[in-house]
Amino acid sequence: MNTASVHTNWNAHLYDDKHSFVFKYGEDLVDVLKPMAGERILDLGCGTGYLTSIIAASGATVVGIDNSLEMITKAKAAYPAVEFKVQSATEFYFDEHFNAIFSNAVLHWVTEKEKAIDCMYRNLKKSGRLVLEFGGKQNVERIVTALKSSLLKHGFAENAAIPLWYFPSLSEYTGLLEKRGFRVTYAAHFNRDTQLNDTENGIKDWIKMFGTAFFKGIDEAVVNEILEEVQQALVPTNYRNGQWFADYKRLRVIAIK
Ligand code: BEZ
């Protein structure tokens, strides 16, 4: 998956049913955003629109964008009073600029990070703010390590080397923002072990939802073997009291244009 395809191939129903933790944690980030009536706000990578609708409830005018037509279709049906558009994180453009750009759990999909930062800069008003949270350095490292080691063991070195995600350190990302002209007023890199919804197949479900690109060209039977192997390898570290956890590390940033 690349920049141009954030959320593109996702199953919007599976996303809402089994991976709702993605946007539920984002409610906390809306509190950081502090949207106000009269403001114009962009929700970058809005998925099925849950957080966009919470921002809209503040009285702000909000636009949600996502590269997935399926996500945007579902968002429009669920929240008909809110504006949603299919647009890419690296190429979006609006005539009327924003007081704030908000993005939760999206920017780790955007490997063309400088393009996304430039786009955010150009679409913000002067003194406008960015409120971002996404996977930082060492995010889901145990899952990724187990998955890559299983792919290698089965002879899929090319698959294991696919650069699917961008998990920067705090200094790398804030440096890129400063280079483009932002003033970073807050940045934190913290652990957030996250309980997965399915008690039996939590890790397998997570990989099937987010990591299918690693399985390009691999037979389904072998994929299932790899999934089983990865989940078993993670029992000692990611399974506690009958629940599966993903070892998330979040990067949260506020910056001003
Ligand atoms: C995350 O939210 O950190 C994440 C989600 C899907 C794939 C990779 C990371």
Side-chain angles (χ1 to χ4, degrees):
M1 199 171 291
N2 61 25
T3 309
S5 57
V6 172
H7 292 167
T8 295
N9 299 315
W10 292 13
N11 175 324
H13 293 287
L14 189 62
Y15 180 66
D16 273 0
D17 290 351
K18 288 205 165 183
H19 303 275
S20 48
F21 56 81
V22 175
F23 46 77
K24 297 235 163 96
Y25 273 116
E27 288 180 29
D28 203 29
L29 194 66
V30 177
D31 292 341
V32 175
L33 173 69
K34 297 188 185 69
M36 288 189 305
E39 285 193 311
R40 178 169 163 79
I41 297 179
L42 180 73
D43 181 5
L44 172 57
C46 63
T48 49
Y50 177 73
L51 294 177
T52 329
S53 74
I54 294 183
I55 297 170
S58 68
T61 300
V62 58
V63 183
I65 61 169
D66 201 286
N67 219 37
S68 159
L69 175 61
E70 190 184 352
M71 293 281 184
I72 290 294
T73 304
K74 200 163 180 231
K76 282 181 173 170
Y79 311 106
V82 179
E83 185 179 348
F84 293 100
K85 283 181 186 303
V86 177
Q87 289 223 40
S88 134
T90 54
E91 283 168 8
F92 66 90
Y93 174 78
F94 288 85
D95 285 332
E96 196 184 339
H97 293 167
F98 295 93
N99 298 99
I101 296 180
F102 169 94
S103 182
N104 178 58
V106 169
L107 290 169
H108 45 252
W109 292 102
V110 183
T111 51
E112 291 179 286
K113 60 268 184 194
E114 290 93 348
K115 275 180 89 175
I117 288 172
D118 182 55
C119 235
M120 292 191 280
Y121 193 87
R122 282 186 289 106
N123 282 277
L124 268 180
K125 292 180 184 173
K126 192 167 179 329
S127 303
R129 64 198 185 281
L130 283 187
V131 177
L132 313 175
E133 189 176 305
F134 59 104
K137 191 172 177 184
Q138 295 180 347
N139 192 39
V140 291
E141 193 166 70
R142 291 196 202 110
I143 299 178
V144 172
T145 302
L147 178 57
K148 290 192 173 181
S149 120
S150 180
L151 284 164
L152 287 174
K153 187 184 130 192
H154 287 263
F156 299 110
E158 273 186 27
N159 294 64
I162 289 172
L164 190 55
W165 298 312
Y166 169 61
F167 298 138
S169 69
L170 184 150
S171 63
E172 179 181 340
Y173 202 76
T174 55
L176 289 174
L177 290 172
E178 286 174 348
K179 194 169 163 206
R180 182 59 186 88
F182 282 103
R183 182 167 61 90
V184 177
T185 57
Y186 174 88
H189 185 197
F190 53 95
N191 294 350
R192 186 191 280 145
D193 263 17
T194 299
Q195 190 178 315
L196 303 176
N197 287 5
D198 194 295
T199 52
E200 200 180 329
N201 290 312
I203 295 290
K204 289 187 193 178
D205 283 349
W206 189 91
I207 298 171
K208 281 197 264 183
M209 179 76 207
F210 300 116
T212 46
F214 282 115
F215 299 126
K216 194 161 179 255
I218 305 179
D219 281 353
E220 198 183 333
V222 182
V223 169
N224 288 333
E225 235 179 272
I226 292 172
L227 287 170
E228 184 58 40
E229 215 168 270
V230 173
Q231 186 161 282
Q232 280 311 311
L234 291 170
V235 169
T237 51
N238 294 48
Y239 189 71
R240 297 188 280 286
N241 305 322
Q243 304 285 348
W244 285 105
F245 291 84
D247 47 324
Y248 280 19
K249 307 263 185 299
R250 313 320 280 167
L251 195 56
R252 181 178 280 192
V253 179
I254 304 175
I256 310 293
K257 174 170 173 176

